[in-house]
Amino acid sequence: MEQKWVVFSLGSNTYGIDVQSVRSIERVQPVTRVPNAPAHVKGVINLRGVVTPVIDLRLRLGYDAVEPTEETRILIASLNQGDAGFIVDRANEVVESEDVRIEPIPESSRDMLSAHLTAIAKGEDKLFSLLDANALFEEQHAE
């Protein structure tokens, strides 16, 4: 069965999420803050009449915050709990399964990110980690 992923960047790292869960890729727009939300929850946007929560994936995955650039995008994904937006540094491309080999996450890489990672995709000129969009949106475990 052929799969496709939307591949995006956070800093120098590259990730992918299943294209079937991505509804759209939007330019950054003003976000309304939500009181008492975790730091990685930027707030909500009104996307074509639908109030959509927005998560800064940099903060969610432990990266330092950065100011948005011309390339910053919001990936709108359909999740178990409804739609959510993920702020990413750059949306790169759509990659098809025939272009990559899917491998399990190595034991040596099992750290705090592994809860969100499902596999590693390797191709001739591609290497990216596959993320579980639903796991990214669900509440963080008690620290």
Side-chain angles (χ1 to χ4, degrees), residues 1-5 94-102 121-126 128:
M1 182 179 97
E2 184 172 317
Q3 280 189 284
K4 294 181 183 181
W5 301 275
V94 174
V95 173
E96 298 184 17
S97 54
E98 62 199 33
D99 296 332
V100 293
R101 191 174 68 253
I102 305 302
K122 292 181 179 177
E124 232 169 80
D125 58 346
K126 298 172 180 26
F128 56 94

Side-chain angles (χ1 to χ4, degrees), residues 6-50:
V6 173
V7 177
F8 60 89
S9 299
L10 293 174
S12 60
N13 294 316
T14 309
Y15 299 93
I17 63 174
D18 191 326
V19 76
Q20 290 184 327
S21 65
V22 177
R23 293 181 50 144
S24 64
I25 299 173
E26 308 287 335
R27 290 188 174 277
V28 173
Q29 51 193 278
V31 176
T32 303
R33 293 285 304 156
V34 176
N36 304 320
H40 66 272
V41 177
K42 284 306 198 196
V44 295
I45 57 174
N46 181 341
L47 188 65
R48 293 179 275 289
V50 178

